[in-house]
Amino acid sequence: MTRALDRGSISTKQQKIANLASEAPQRVLLTLAHHIDLMWLEEAYRRTRKDGAVGVDGVTAAEYEERLHENLSDLLERFKSGRYRAPPVRRVHIPKAGAKGKTRPIGIPTLEDKILQRAVLMVLEPVYEQDFLDCSYGFRPGRSAHQALEALWQGLMDIRGGWVIDLDIQSYLDVVSYCPPIHGDGSSGSKRALLL
């Protein structure tokens, strides 16, 4: 019963954040870190996948859960004090789909880092969700690739056909160094600046 109330409380906080972001889209939100408390981290832990590979520290979800309250309390204290530093990400190469003998690198963070990332996502998602267009589907809550395909199909039917071009730029990020777009004023173009 208590956990259900906790989840309701977090959902209410997220709705308040979303309302604030929606009511004042030009407002720069200077801090949202005060929302992340022990209850927030417990919910972030609940939402984090526990069956994934372990990070560089070798700690499994079962081991972390043995002292869950102490571990989350320590994580919260390090986060709030500014002492938290994300540990290195373990690099693993996995087979590349459709490319016999080729691999692609993936990074595996520690469980603790995944928990904190999830907690930050739970704070930021209600803010940035207000900026997305209804036609955006990638990595959004309650949205899926199947829904994106359905919307595409419906759009094509509405205009009685059209062209669909499927494009894959092979190994693009392997050969081009990534740099986020910078505008003439030196900003990244985002309407919102957040300090956690």
XYZ file of all heavy atoms in Angstrom, residues 24-89:
537
model
N 4.546 27.774 -18.981
C 5.540 28.813 -19.277
C 6.657 28.220 -20.136
O 7.763 27.975 -19.656
C 6.099 29.377 -17.975
N 6.367 27.971 -21.421
C 7.355 27.304 -22.270
C 8.669 28.061 -22.434
O 9.691 27.455 -22.718
C 6.645 27.130 -23.611
C 5.409 27.928 -23.553
C 5.130 28.270 -22.136
N 8.678 29.363 -22.244
C 9.912 30.138 -22.391
C 10.706 30.238 -21.092
O 11.838 30.712 -21.096
C 9.595 31.549 -22.906
C 8.928 31.560 -24.272
C 9.716 30.788 -25.321
O 10.933 30.882 -25.382
N 9.021 30.008 -26.132
N 10.114 29.803 -19.993
C 10.787 29.885 -18.691
C 11.962 28.917 -18.642
O 11.864 27.779 -19.061
C 9.808 29.536 -17.567
C 10.486 29.554 -16.194
C 9.573 29.129 -15.091
N 8.556 30.170 -14.911
C 7.418 29.953 -14.279
N 7.126 28.765 -13.811
N 6.563 30.930 -14.132
N 13.065 29.406 -18.131
C 14.226 28.560 -17.904
C 14.107 28.016 -16.488
O 14.029 28.776 -15.524
C 15.530 29.366 -18.078
C 16.726 28.507 -17.731
C 15.633 29.894 -19.498
N 14.066 26.712 -16.388
C 13.958 26.075 -15.073
C 15.372 25.889 -14.532
O 16.164 25.138 -15.098
C 13.218 24.743 -15.196
C 11.821 24.855 -15.811
C 11.235 23.471 -16.048
C 10.901 25.678 -14.942
N 15.678 26.573 -13.459
C 17.048 26.595 -12.961
C 17.425 25.376 -12.143
O 18.571 24.986 -12.118
C 17.293 27.872 -12.151
C 17.198 29.153 -12.969
C 17.388 30.370 -12.075
C 18.208 29.159 -14.092
N 16.479 24.793 -11.444
C 16.810 23.600 -10.678
C 15.591 22.712 -10.507
O 14.478 23.195 -10.302
C 17.404 23.943 -9.296
O 17.691 22.716 -8.611
C 16.467 24.762 -8.446
N 15.841 21.452 -10.638
C 14.802 20.451 -10.403
C 15.314 19.355 -9.471
O 14.601 18.414 -9.167
C 14.357 19.829 -11.736
C 13.645 20.787 -12.688
C 13.485 20.155 -14.056
C 12.302 21.193 -12.136
N 16.555 19.497 -9.028
C 17.185 18.454 -8.215
C 16.461 18.216 -6.896
O 16.522 17.113 -6.351
C 18.642 18.808 -7.946
N 15.769 19.224 -6.384
C 15.096 19.048 -5.092
C 13.994 17.994 -5.154
O 13.564 17.486 -4.132
C 14.541 20.384 -4.589
C 13.486 20.966 -5.477
N 13.803 21.708 -6.600
C 12.139 20.909 -5.425
C 12.688 22.083 -7.193
N 11.660 21.615 -6.503
N 13.546 17.639 -6.356
C 12.527 16.596 -6.488
C 13.106 15.213 -6.229
O 12.382 14.286 -5.876
C 11.905 16.624 -7.882
C 11.064 17.832 -8.117
N 9.835 18.008 -7.532
C 11.286 18.939 -8.874
C 9.323 19.162 -7.929
N 10.190 19.752 -8.725
N 14.401 15.053 -6.451
C 15.024 13.747 -6.273
C 15.331 13.542 -4.799
O 16.227 14.160 -4.235
C 16.293 13.615 -7.141
C 15.916 13.764 -8.616
C 16.979 12.279 -6.890
C 17.088 13.737 -9.579
N 14.540 12.679 -4.184
C 14.737 12.323 -2.788
C 14.802 10.795 -2.699
O 14.840 10.111 -3.728
C 13.625 12.905 -1.895
C 12.228 12.494 -2.332
O 12.077 11.522 -3.118
O 11.258 13.144 -1.898
N 14.815 10.249 -1.491
C 14.945 8.804 -1.321
C 13.780 8.065 -1.959
O 13.968 7.046 -2.642
C 15.067 8.444 0.165
C 15.434 6.993 0.453
C 16.740 6.607 -0.236
C 15.535 6.766 1.949
N 12.567 8.580 -1.802
C 11.395 7.944 -2.407
C 11.531 7.954 -3.936
O 11.195 6.979 -4.605
C 10.121 8.671 -1.964
C 8.852 8.050 -2.488
S 7.353 8.802 -1.808
C 7.586 10.529 -2.109
N 12.021 9.045 -4.486
C 12.216 9.176 -5.931
C 13.223 8.130 -6.419
O 13.017 7.482 -7.450
C 12.696 10.586 -6.238
C 12.574 11.017 -7.661
C 13.467 10.783 -8.665
C 11.506 11.773 -8.250
N 13.026 11.355 -9.827
C 11.826 11.967 -9.602
C 10.329 12.314 -7.758
C 11.012 12.672 -10.479
C 9.517 13.029 -8.631
C 9.850 13.195 -9.969
N 14.343 7.979 -5.667
C 15.355 6.989 -6.038
C 14.818 5.566 -5.918
O 15.166 4.695 -6.724
C 16.613 7.147 -5.188
C 17.558 8.281 -5.562
C 18.767 8.308 -4.636
C 18.007 8.192 -7.011
N 13.977 5.315 -4.922
C 13.380 3.978 -4.788
C 12.516 3.661 -6.004
O 12.543 2.545 -6.524
C 12.550 3.879 -3.507
C 13.396 3.802 -2.257
C 12.579 3.920 -0.976
O 11.359 4.195 -1.034
O 13.175 3.724 0.102
N 11.768 4.643 -6.467
C 10.941 4.435 -7.662
C 11.827 4.284 -8.897
O 11.540 3.467 -9.775
C 9.950 5.583 -7.850
C 9.061 5.449 -9.054
C 8.165 4.224 -9.076
O 7.977 3.559 -8.035
O 7.633 3.918 -10.162
N 12.907 5.048 -8.964
C 13.847 4.909 -10.083
C 14.448 3.509 -10.087
O 14.585 2.882 -11.144
C 14.947 5.968 -9.984
N 14.776 3.005 -8.904
C 15.298 1.636 -8.796
C 14.261 0.632 -9.281
O 14.573 -0.284 -10.036
C 15.701 1.317 -7.352
C 16.142 -0.115 -7.182
C 17.417 -0.513 -7.565
C 15.276 -1.076 -6.664
C 17.823 -1.832 -7.432
C 15.678 -2.399 -6.535
C 16.945 -2.761 -6.929
O 17.348 -4.078 -6.809
N 13.018 0.814 -8.899
C 11.954 -0.108 -9.307
C 11.814 -0.122 -10.830
O 11.596 -1.173 -11.424
C 10.625 0.300 -8.664
C 9.495 -0.706 -8.890
C 8.154 -0.186 -8.431
N 7.621 0.866 -9.282
C 7.046 0.656 -10.475
N 6.945 -0.551 -10.970
N 6.586 1.678 -11.170
N 11.971 1.037 -11.477
C 11.804 1.138 -12.926
C 13.032 0.713 -13.722
O 12.976 0.586 -14.940
C 11.465 2.587 -13.316
C 10.140 3.064 -12.792
C 9.866 4.477 -13.267
N 8.680 5.055 -12.637
C 8.172 6.227 -12.970
N 8.727 6.936 -13.944
N 7.103 6.686 -12.356
N 14.160 0.522 -13.057
C 15.405 0.163 -13.734
C 15.456 -1.340 -13.977
O 15.163 -2.121 -13.084
C 16.623 0.591 -12.883
O 16.573 2.015 -12.697
C 17.934 0.225 -13.550
N 15.846 -1.703 -15.206
C 16.003 -3.132 -15.526
C 17.054 -3.748 -14.624
O 18.131 -3.183 -14.432
C 16.458 -3.294 -16.974
C 15.367 -3.550 -17.936
C 15.902 -3.880 -19.312
N 16.634 -5.139 -19.312
C 17.432 -5.521 -20.295
N 17.633 -4.746 -21.328
N 18.044 -6.675 -20.240
N 16.745 -4.916 -14.119
C 17.666 -5.565 -13.179
C 18.354 -6.785 -13.788
O 19.201 -7.387 -13.166
C 16.919 -5.986 -11.923
C 15.948 -4.925 -11.435
C 16.238 -4.343 -10.156
C 15.237 -3.333 -9.679
N 14.227 -2.822 -10.583
N 17.966 -7.155 -15.000
C 18.520 -8.368 -15.607
C 19.623 -8.084 -16.621
O 20.071 -8.978 -17.311
C 17.407 -9.182 -16.265
C 16.677 -8.418 -17.377
O 16.875 -7.187 -17.485
O 15.909 -9.038 -18.117
N 20.052 -6.840 -16.697
C 21.095 -6.477 -17.654
C 22.480 -6.868 -17.158
O 22.675 -7.277 -16.010
N 23.450 -6.723 -18.042
C 24.841 -7.021 -17.708
C 25.344 -6.039 -16.655
O 24.857 -4.919 -16.540
C 25.695 -6.932 -18.968
N 26.324 -6.479 -15.894
C 26.885 -5.633 -14.837
C 27.903 -4.660 -15.423
O 28.509 -4.919 -16.458
C 27.546 -6.473 -13.713
C 26.522 -7.343 -13.030
C 28.698 -7.295 -14.236
N 28.077 -3.541 -14.738
C 29.040 -2.527 -15.153
C 30.437 -2.853 -14.667
O 30.724 -3.972 -14.235
N 31.321 -1.848 -14.683
C 32.722 -2.056 -14.317
C 32.899 -2.469 -12.861
O 33.890 -3.096 -12.517
C 33.587 -0.796 -14.600
C 33.691 -0.532 -16.074
C 33.084 0.406 -13.847
N 31.914 -2.129 -12.012
C 32.034 -2.495 -10.600
C 31.635 -3.936 -10.318
O 31.883 -4.456 -9.228
C 31.223 -1.544 -9.719
C 29.733 -1.588 -10.013
O 29.304 -2.340 -10.921
O 28.982 -0.866 -9.332
N 30.998 -4.611 -11.270
C 30.605 -6.007 -11.105
C 29.430 -6.238 -10.168
O 29.102 -7.375 -9.854
N 28.765 -5.172 -9.722
C 27.667 -5.295 -8.763
C 26.377 -5.671 -9.489
O 25.956 -4.981 -10.414
C 27.477 -3.983 -7.971
C 26.270 -4.062 -7.052
C 28.733 -3.664 -7.179
N 25.745 -6.754 -9.028
C 24.474 -7.188 -9.592
C 23.322 -6.502 -8.859
O 23.508 -5.963 -7.761
C 24.288 -8.707 -9.466
O 24.187 -9.041 -8.070
C 25.445 -9.470 -10.110
N 22.142 -6.580 -9.446
C 20.956 -6.001 -8.811
C 20.667 -6.707 -7.494
O 20.286 -6.068 -6.512
C 19.758 -6.104 -9.741
N 20.858 -8.017 -7.451
C 20.606 -8.783 -6.218
C 21.539 -8.316 -5.098
O 21.107 -8.148 -3.949
C 20.785 -10.275 -6.481
N 22.805 -8.085 -5.426
C 23.761 -7.610 -4.423
C 23.398 -6.199 -3.964
O 23.467 -5.899 -2.770
C 25.184 -7.621 -4.999
C 25.709 -9.016 -5.266
C 26.987 -9.010 -6.107
O 27.268 -7.997 -6.783
O 27.685 -10.034 -6.079
N 23.037 -5.338 -4.884
C 22.681 -3.960 -4.545
C 21.438 -3.931 -3.663
O 21.342 -3.132 -2.730
C 22.454 -3.151 -5.833
C 22.471 -1.657 -5.633
C 23.666 -0.948 -5.638
C 21.292 -0.943 -5.446
C 23.697 0.427 -5.467
C 21.306 0.441 -5.275
C 22.516 1.111 -5.286
O 22.522 2.477 -5.108
N 20.510 -4.816 -3.949
C 19.240 -4.841 -3.220
C 19.391 -5.348 -1.784
O 18.555 -5.049 -0.932
C 18.241 -5.714 -3.982
C 16.815 -5.465 -3.549
C 15.815 -6.073 -4.511
O 15.932 -5.843 -5.726
O 14.908 -6.758 -4.026
N 20.446 -6.110 -1.502
C 20.671 -6.604 -0.143
C 20.747 -5.460 0.858
O 20.336 -5.610 2.014
C 21.964 -7.437 -0.081
C 21.842 -8.794 -0.731
C 23.169 -9.545 -0.778
O 24.170 -9.071 -0.164
O 23.213 -10.604 -1.421
N 21.291 -4.336 0.437
C 21.391 -3.141 1.282
C 20.792 -1.952 0.534
O 21.392 -0.889 0.451
C 22.860 -2.869 1.625
C 23.519 -4.004 2.400
C 24.952 -3.714 2.818
N 25.046 -2.480 3.570
C 25.882 -1.480 3.284
N 26.690 -1.556 2.276
N 25.904 -0.384 4.021
N 19.601 -2.160 -0.014
C 18.996 -1.174 -0.898
C 18.843 0.191 -0.240
O 19.251 1.209 -0.797
C 17.636 -1.671 -1.409
C 16.940 -0.755 -2.413
C 17.782 -0.587 -3.669
C 15.570 -1.306 -2.776
N 18.267 0.231 0.957
C 18.032 1.517 1.623
C 19.350 2.254 1.860
O 19.457 3.448 1.578
C 17.275 1.309 2.937
C 16.964 2.594 3.632
N 15.957 3.429 3.217
C 17.565 3.209 4.690
C 15.925 4.494 4.002
N 16.896 4.383 4.904
N 20.362 1.533 2.362
C 21.659 2.161 2.622
C 22.320 2.617 1.326
O 22.876 3.717 1.253
C 22.601 1.192 3.364
C 22.166 0.859 4.766
C 21.210 -0.345 4.815
O 20.727 -0.807 3.747
O 20.916 -0.801 5.924
N 22.258 1.774 0.293
C 22.882 2.122 -0.987
C 22.223 3.347 -1.619
O 22.909 4.246 -2.109
C 22.812 0.938 -1.953
C 23.781 -0.164 -1.581
O 24.811 0.084 -0.969
N 23.446 -1.394 -1.938
N 20.887 3.382 -1.609
C 20.186 4.525 -2.201
C 20.394 5.786 -1.379
O 20.525 6.879 -1.940
C 18.696 4.218 -2.360
C 18.340 3.151 -3.396
C 16.827 2.930 -3.426
C 18.869 3.497 -4.774
N 20.439 5.653 -0.060
C 20.699 6.814 0.808
C 22.083 7.389 0.524
O 22.259 8.610 0.449
C 20.594 6.425 2.284
O 19.281 6.058 2.604
N 23.063 6.511 0.358
C 24.426 6.947 0.056
C 24.481 7.606 -1.323
O 25.108 8.658 -1.500
C 25.385 5.753 0.113
C 26.814 6.156 -0.208
O 27.357 7.049 0.475
O 27.376 5.587 -1.163
N 23.809 7.016 -2.296
C 23.758 7.590 -3.642
C 23.117 8.973 -3.606
O 23.630 9.916 -4.218
C 22.972 6.661 -4.578
C 22.745 7.153 -6.013
C 24.070 7.411 -6.727
C 21.888 6.148 -6.775
N 22.023 9.105 -2.885
C 21.336 10.397 -2.775
C 22.251 11.444 -2.147
O 22.338 12.570 -2.638
C 20.055 10.249 -1.956
C 19.247 11.521 -1.761
C 18.737 12.051 -3.108
C 18.079 11.263 -0.815
N 22.942 11.072 -1.090
C 23.832 12.024 -0.407
C 24.952 12.476 -1.336
O 25.268 13.664 -1.414
C 24.399 11.374 0.866
C 25.068 12.357 1.817
C 26.490 12.709 1.386
O 27.223 11.816 0.912
O 26.870 13.897 1.513
N 25.532 11.548 -2.081
C 26.604 11.911 -3.020
C 26.063 12.795 -4.149
O 26.712 13.750 -4.564
C 27.274 10.663 -3.598
C 28.185 9.973 -2.578
C 28.880 8.748 -3.152
N 27.909 7.669 -3.252
C 27.765 6.875 -4.313
N 28.526 7.038 -5.384
N 26.865 5.915 -4.327
N 24.855 12.493 -4.626
C 24.234 13.293 -5.682
C 23.957 14.707 -5.187
O 24.308 15.692 -5.837
C 22.950 12.610 -6.157
C 22.108 13.463 -7.064
C 22.531 13.778 -8.347
C 20.896 13.960 -6.638
C 21.761 14.560 -9.189
C 20.108 14.753 -7.468
C 20.544 15.053 -8.750
N 23.331 14.824 -4.028
C 22.956 16.147 -3.492
C 24.170 16.998 -3.146
O 24.138 18.213 -3.296
C 22.069 15.981 -2.248
C 20.705 15.375 -2.520
C 19.789 16.374 -3.157
C 18.380 15.805 -3.263
N 17.422 16.759 -3.750
N 25.240 16.361 -2.670
C 26.425 17.114 -2.274
C 27.332 17.452 -3.457
O 28.294 18.200 -3.305
C 27.229 16.319 -1.239
O 27.821 15.177 -1.838
N 27.056 16.866 -4.623
C 27.888 17.113 -5.791
C 29.105 16.213 -5.853
O 29.976 16.387 -6.703
N 29.185 15.230 -4.951
C 30.332 14.315 -4.946
C 30.163 13.131 -5.889
O 31.109 12.410 -6.153
C 30.592 13.779 -3.534
C 31.100 14.812 -2.563
C 31.477 14.215 -1.214
N 30.376 13.469 -0.611
C 30.347 12.147 -0.444
N 31.365 11.398 -0.819
N 29.312 11.554 0.120
N 28.958 12.929 -6.421
C 28.737 11.775 -7.300
C 29.485 11.971 -8.612
O 29.373 13.012 -9.248
C 27.255 11.563 -7.602
C 27.045 10.376 -8.515
C 27.084 9.082 -8.023
C 26.869 10.548 -9.883
C 26.938 7.992 -8.843
C 26.719 9.466 -10.721
C 26.760 8.189 -10.202
O 26.624 7.110 -11.038
N 30.251 10.988 -8.983
C 30.933 10.960 -10.271
C 30.567 9.639 -10.934
O 30.768 8.570 -10.349
C 32.455 11.046 -10.118
C 32.942 12.352 -9.513
C 32.740 13.517 -10.491
N 33.136 14.778 -9.937
C 32.303 15.676 -9.432
N 31.018 15.432 -9.365
N 32.727 16.832 -8.975
N 30.049 9.725 -12.143
C 29.680 8.506 -12.854
C 30.937 7.673 -13.102
O 31.946 8.191 -13.572
C 29.011 8.848 -14.177
N 30.867 6.384 -12.776
C 32.030 5.526 -13.032
C 32.197 5.265 -14.527
O 31.278 5.524 -15.307
C 31.689 4.233 -12.276
C 30.230 4.264 -12.045
C 29.783 5.696 -12.097
N 33.353 4.764 -14.918
C 33.548 4.450 -16.341
C 32.482 3.462 -16.818
O 31.949 2.676 -16.045
C 34.936 3.805 -16.390
C 35.602 4.217 -15.128
C 34.516 4.433 -14.115
N 32.189 3.530 -18.096
C 31.222 2.633 -18.708
C 31.986 1.466 -19.324
O 32.981 1.675 -20.022
C 30.399 3.389 -19.784
C 29.490 2.447 -20.542
C 29.591 4.504 -19.132
